[in-house]
Amino acid sequence: MSTSPDELMAAAREAAEGAYAPYSKFHVGAALAFADGSVVSGANVENVSYGLSLCAETAAAAKAMNEGRRGGLVAVAVCGPETHAITPCGRCRQVLAELAMLDGSDPVVWCDGPDGVREFRLSQLLPEAFGGL
Ligand code: THU
């Protein structure tokens, strides 16, 4: 089943409404599309101890893995406030790479911004990802 950038970005935007970001006020949503047609989304969850905050992509990946997914990640959509171009932070790139490496996939990553959606492959965003010992 194919997922369009528009559909997956709409899921990310809806997920951003669940963000808990009282410190940065920067609401981020992420949606992950899987080969079986399912979509898992998440939003950032901040903490008063700022460094403990979770990004949207990490929250979505954790949810997907907690639900038993072990691969099959075909696409990721990420959005922030409409005024900002966003790409996943470095830590989230590695978190997404863990899920992708389980079946050797290289998901497309759609990143929203004021000039439209930019498309990358995860391997472009994180070349030479750490793959284990
Ligand atoms: N954030 C994400 O959720 N994903 C990203 O890719 C970049 C940043 C969050 C972390 C923090 O809650 C807020 O955005 C500001 O950095």
Side-chain angles (χ1 to χ4, degrees):
M1 185 180 173
S2 70
T3 306
S4 75
D6 285 353
E7 280 174 339
L8 200 62
M9 197 57 77
R13 192 157 299 292
E14 189 179 337
E17 291 171 17
Y20 173 73
Y23 307 107
S24 72
K25 318 256 191 256
F26 194 88
H27 292 203
V28 182
L32 314 184
F34 290 85
D36 64 2
S38 62
V39 171
V40 179
S41 62
N44 51 334
V45 179
E46 296 187 342
N47 190 278
V48 66
S49 178
Y50 296 170
L52 301 183
S53 298
L54 293 177
C55 288
E57 302 89 320
T58 291
K63 196 195 286 188
M65 295 185 80
N66 283 164
E67 289 176 354
R69 288 175 185 77
R70 297 290 184 270
L73 180 61
V74 294
V76 178
V78 190
C79 68
E82 285 177 3
T83 47
H84 284 71
I86 190 161
T87 55
C89 79
R91 181 176 186 270
C92 288
R93 294 176 193 199
Q94 185 70 42
V95 169
L96 293 169
E98 182 75 24
L99 189 47
M101 78 173 64
L102 291 175
D103 68 348
S105 65
D106 187 14
V108 62
V109 182
W110 289 308
C111 300
D112 203 15
D115 298 326
V117 174
R118 290 182 298 159
E119 179 177 305
F120 303 94
R121 285 281 164 184
L122 184 58
S123 62
Q124 272 181 281
L125 295 176
L126 187 66
E128 305 297 335
F130 178 61
L133 303 177

